[in-house]
């Protein structure tokens, strides 16, 4: 696996820091233990709406990953994965930092520091969307 971000997802899985799938991610968000909600770039519209709802419910950021369901699933030892949630703040911060760096490398721009703290916003914050 050449993608450092996908490697981090694999480490999160081994460390028990990620819940994959709508049911598991939703449960983590409802419990208040989610730190970051992740969405595949090719996730269906209905899944995107659910991810936004989960992020809003948990008061956490939502990140649209620049990877497809199959790539994310492979990193997590599954056939595919469109939606997941991280439960560890350090891992969430590391993933956001790697994603921002990868985006800067692709586009030749400077990396902008991003915090993944909970906010009082009523809507989820999409903190990194490389397809805008």
């Amino acid at each position: 696996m050449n993608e450092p971000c996908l490697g981090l997802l694999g480490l999160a899985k081994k460390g028990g820091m990620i819940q994959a799938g709508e049911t598991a991610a939703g449960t983590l968000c409802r419990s208040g233990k989610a730190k970051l909600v992740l969405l595949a770039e090719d996730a269906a519209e209905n899944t995107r709406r659910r991810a936004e709802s989960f992020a809003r419910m948990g008061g956490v950021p939502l990140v649209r990953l620049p990877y497809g369901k199959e790539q994310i699933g492979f990193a997590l030892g599954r056939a595919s994965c469109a939606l997941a949630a991280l439960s560890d703040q350090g891992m969430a911060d590391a993933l956001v930092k790697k994603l921002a760096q990868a985006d800067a490398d692709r586009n030749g721009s400077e990396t902008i520091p991003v915090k993944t703290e909970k906010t009082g916003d009523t809507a989820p914050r999409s903190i990194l969307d490389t397809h805008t």
Side-chain angles (χ1 to χ4, degrees), residues 61-86:
L62 168 63
V63 174
R64 179 171 228 157
L65 297 172
Y67 307 108
K69 296 181 283 192
E70 286 75 27
Q71 290 174 293
I72 297 167
F74 181 76
L76 297 176
R78 299 168 55 120
S80 69
C81 178
L83 175 62
L86 285 167

Side-chain angles (χ1 to χ4, degrees), residues 6-26:
L6 293 174
L8 280 177
L9 292 180
L11 285 174
K13 176 68 174 171
K14 287 180 183 179
M17 298 178 251
I18 191 166
Q19 294 295 318
E22 287 187 29
T23 302

Side-chain angles (χ1 to χ4, degrees), residues 60-126:
V60 298
L62 168 63
V63 174
R64 179 171 228 157
L65 297 172
Y67 307 108
K69 296 181 283 192
E70 286 75 27
Q71 290 174 293
I72 297 167
F74 181 76
L76 297 176
R78 299 168 55 120
S80 69
C81 178
L83 175 62
L86 285 167
S87 60
D88 182 78
Q89 187 66 56
M91 185 60 75
D93 291 341
L95 180 61
V96 169
K97 185 176 178 181
K98 288 275 187 204
L99 287 166
Q101 182 60 49
D103 188 47
D105 291 346
R106 268 192 298 275
N107 297 320
S109 61
E110 262 184 58
T111 303
I112 299 171
V114 179
K115 292 188 178 180
T116 58
E117 302 169 3
K118 288 187 178 182
T119 67
D121 297 341
T122 56
R125 297 179 300 140
S126 181

